[in-house]
Amino acid sequence: MLFTETKLKGAFLIDLQKNEDERGFFARSYCHREFEDHGLNPRVVQCNFSYNAKKGTLRGMHYQVPPFEEAKLVRCTRGAIYDVIVDLRPDSATYCQWIGVELCSGSSQ
């Protein structure tokens, strides 16, 4: 897994590190140790899947306050999504800043 930290501390773009051969490829999409090494809570408390029947569907914001905060791992398996992260941590140097990234099923993010 290849972690690239964004301008929001603790938010990363994670690319698959593909091991390819004539059959295709194999890649880890989650690793407890690597999440821990990057300061992310590695405890998986949920694993969700969503499907949008209509292009342009907007889904809600997910926010937790301590001690209930969770790390989120978002991946697009078909089509494309525009994922937005907003820093709502009042004590953060990037408070109220945001990033948006398009995740596509054909990319490794």
Side-chain angles (χ1 to χ4, degrees):
M1 297 169 57
L2 305 170
F3 287 73
T4 303
E5 189 162 16
T6 68
K7 70 177 185 178
L8 304 180
K9 184 161 179 55
F12 296 85
L13 296 178
I14 303 173
D15 289 298
L16 298 177
Q17 191 166 9
K18 296 179 180 179
N19 295 306
E20 298 184 69
D21 62 21
E22 66 282 351
R23 300 167 294 175
F25 73 88
F26 173 86
R28 272 188 288 174
S29 61
Y30 173 79
C31 176
H32 184 278
R33 180 187 47 80
E34 289 189 50
F35 267 56
E36 235 175 18
D37 289 349
H38 288 87
L40 299 170
N41 181 351
R43 185 172 164 253
V44 176
V45 295
Q46 288 185 38
C47 185
N48 303 306
F49 180 83
S50 72
Y51 167 76
N52 298 318
K54 188 175 178 183
K55 183 178 179 178
T57 299
L58 178 64
R59 296 222 170 245
M61 183 182 293
H62 306 278
Y63 177 71
Q64 299 94 24
V65 294
F68 305 106
E69 67 269 41
E70 301 171 355
K72 302 285 187 209
L73 179 60
V74 178
R75 172 157 286 125
C76 180
T77 58
R78 183 175 178 194
I81 61 173
Y82 187 67
D83 193 52
V84 176
I85 303 170
V86 181
D87 188 346
L88 298 176
R89 301 168 294 183
D91 58 343
S92 173
T94 55
Y95 179 62
C96 289
Q97 292 183 32
W98 64 277
I99 60 164
V101 63
E102 183 177 90
L103 304 176
C104 302
S105 59
S107 71
S108 59
Q109 293 178 347

